[in-house]
Amino acid sequence: MLDDGIKPSSIVRYLDQYVIGQDDAKKILSVAVYAHYRKIAKARAEQTELAKSNVLLIGPSGTGKTLLCETLSRVLKVPFVTADATSLAQTRYVSDEIEAILQRLLDKGGGDVERAQRGIVFIDEIDKLKARPGEPRAVSGESVQHALLKIMEGAPVKVGNAQFVDTTNILFICGGAFVGIEDIMAQTHGYGFIATSDDDDNQKILDRLNSRVKPTDLFEFGLIPEFTGRLPVIARFQELSRDMLVRIMTEPRNCIYNQFREIFRNEGVELTVERRVFQQISDLAIEYKTGARSLRGLFEELITPILYAVPDDPGVKKVEIDSLFTEPRYVRA
Ligand SMILES: Nc1ncnc2c1ncn2[C@@H]1O[C@H](COP(=O)(O)OP(=O)(O)OP(=O)(O)O)[C@@H](O)[C@H]1O
Ligand SMILES: [Mg+2]
């Protein structure tokens, strides 16, 4: 199931080609999936039960949670689907919705039940399922948590008319922004008083311990204890810095810059965009507070007028953009 030679470190190296930063999350997730698929193989060989470690990803919107899971499923060559917890919470027929998710997983696996049963299901916006005091249980996020924890644990789910998908070996990854979790974490005691020296390494270890989200924090946030208990592995995603946003636009193989250079190349034109432009776009994106999500829109806004003009002028061989605030330079042969 895991290709020979696949190790947590090789998974991380693959992820690095597509996902910028988030090094901690990459490591945690790679180790988790590696262990997961090793356990499946071992459990199958020895006919033993599998103790599953589903994963919780916590981090702001647009920082790469979905992208990381998608990329992960590609390197593992397993079927992958995403679902949205909010839509689960809005339906009266949660079990139908869950069935539909597994149906999609089955479709992704080419109708092969065996393959689907080794897939990954990513459930986003899990933080929207928090229990609100006074809400009738049947319609609350809490009842969805109960429904989910049953399938996360492992259960046969009827899909279509005659087929069953067993969720025992399916890896569930839940994601959410968990706005306000920092405040909850700050209220509970941190490890601080042990630090007597101003030793740098010491401080790093303490920072690490203190930045860990504890099950009790999630409980306080509004997830039920049984649910948090099914998510023993927690990885946090960091807010993207300006430098990371620049790298997102310019480094990955399929990054925005490369995509548009290719479009211009097909017109016989060489496009060069100065680093400063990407920094200016990143500054705007940071103001929009949507992580990397607004980068494409901003870049397209800049490029569209040029793409409009270039085909009318076959003499243009080169377009150079130095700044968001100056006109692009058209170079003719
Ligand atoms: N760390 C990253 N590296 C490369 N690209 C990124 C990164 N983070 C975000 N992106 C870009 O932004 C888009 C949105 O990211 P993604 O869907 O992964 O966000 P998310 O964390 O799942 O957000 P949400 O919580 O809103 O679902 C991606 O398709 C990708 O183009
Ligand atoms: Mg997402």
Side-chain angles (χ1 to χ4, degrees):
M1 173 173 341
L2 280 180
D3 284 351
D4 278 345
I6 284 205
K7 300 265 166 6
S9 63
S10 59
I11 298 174
V12 167
R13 273 198 301 278
Y14 182 86
L15 294 173
D16 281 342
Q17 294 175 36
Y18 300 92
V19 184
I20 300 293
Q22 313 301 8
D23 295 345
D24 282 344
K26 280 174 186 163
K27 267 191 204 153
I28 292 172
L29 213 53
S30 300
V31 170
V33 298
Y34 177 78
H36 175 72
Y37 288 106
R38 293 285 284 213
K39 266 194 266 182
I40 295 180
K42 191 156 180 278
R44 194 176 284 167
E46 297 171 6
Q47 306 264 313
T48 50
E49 285 286 302
L50 161 91
K52 197 164 33 164
S53 300
N54 297 308
V55 181
L56 176 63
L57 307 181
I58 296 181
S61 179
T63 52
K65 297 186 294 294
T66 305
L67 177 69
L68 191 60
C69 295
E70 229 164 44
T71 312
L72 196 60
S73 71
R74 262 205 327 269
V75 60
L76 298 169
K77 302 192 187 79
V78 296
F80 172 72
V81 291
T82 62
D84 196 342
T86 22
S87 67
L88 283 171
Q90 278 157 7
T91 177
R92 284 171 55 207
Y93 308 101
V94 179
S95 56
D96 288 1
E97 194 81 9
I98 288 175
E99 186 188 313
I101 295 168
L102 294 171
Q103 177 68 57
R104 277 194 287 126
L105 190 67
L106 187 56
D107 294 344
K108 280 282 181 70
D112 181 344
V113 176
E114 280 284 306
R115 255 176 76 72
Q117 290 182 162
R118 285 184 256 123
I120 295 177
V121 174
F122 179 60
I123 304 171
D124 215 347
E125 304 215 51
I126 208 79
D127 50 341
K128 305 284 154 59
L129 296 180
K130 69 179 184 180
R132 289 184 198 84
E135 213 174 22
R137 194 170 160 147
V139 296
S140 73
E142 203 179 319
S143 68
V144 179
Q145 291 184 49
H146 277 284
L148 282 178
L149 74 85
K150 220 179 294 168
I151 59 158
M152 281 164 53
E153 186 90 311
V157 177
K158 195 162 187 227
V159 171
N161 286 328
Q163 274 174 320
F164 281 86
V165 171
D166 186 334
T167 63
T168 306
N169 290 343
I170 291 176
L171 184 68
F172 288 87
I173 302 177
C174 295
F178 288 83
V179 175
I181 194 94
E182 304 275 344
D183 298 335
I184 292 171
M185 289 165 63
Q187 280 164 24
T188 53
H189 272 298
Y191 303 86
F193 4 83
I194 350 169
T196 45
S197 71
D198 45 15
D199 191 294
D200 225 29
D201 283 341
N202 237 333
Q203 193 54 47
K204 258 187 219 145
I205 294 168
L206 286 174
D207 287 348
R208 239 181 118 90
L209 284 172
N210 283 326
S211 68
R212 283 190 61 226
V213 178
K214 299 177 287 304
T216 46
D217 299 329
L218 296 172
F219 181 44
E220 179 97 346
F221 185 86
L223 296 186
I224 59 175
E226 302 93 304
F227 192 75
T228 60
R230 262 49 163 214
L231 296 164
V233 181
I234 300 177
R236 293 190 72 190
F237 279 61
Q238 305 304 321
E239 201 75 71
L240 298 166
S241 65
R242 179 167 96 157
D243 185 52
M244 282 153 99
L245 291 169
V246 169
R247 290 178 55 203
I248 286 171
M249 285 184 282
T250 54
E251 274 182 24
R253 244 190 270 176
N254 56 344
C255 67
I256 300 175
Y257 188 28
N258 286 350
Q259 286 176 25
F260 278 94
R261 281 172 69 93
E262 180 64 26
I263 292 173
F264 277 86
R265 206 173 291 128
N266 291 336
E267 297 287 331
V269 175
E270 188 193 334
L271 173 72
T272 48
V273 179
E274 284 303 319
R275 188 175 171 79
R276 174 146 66 116
V277 177
F278 293 111
Q279 290 169 340
Q280 291 165 335
I281 291 175
S282 300
D283 287 338
L284 290 172
I286 287 170
E287 272 179 46
Y288 293 174
K289 293 193 183 1
T290 51
R293 261 180 217 289
S294 45
L295 295 176
R296 172 170 288 273
L298 287 163
F299 193 76
E300 280 185 8
E301 219 170 283
L302 166 73
I303 235 72
T304 303
I306 308 171
L307 261 181
Y308 180 80
V310 155
D312 285 340
D313 192 346
V316 174
K317 291 292 164 230
K318 234 173 150 181
V319 177
E320 295 166 347
I321 309 176
D322 293 337
S323 161
L324 270 191
F325 308 108
T326 57
E327 285 298 313
R329 229 185 354 267
Y330 292 85
V331 183
R332 288 178 176 75

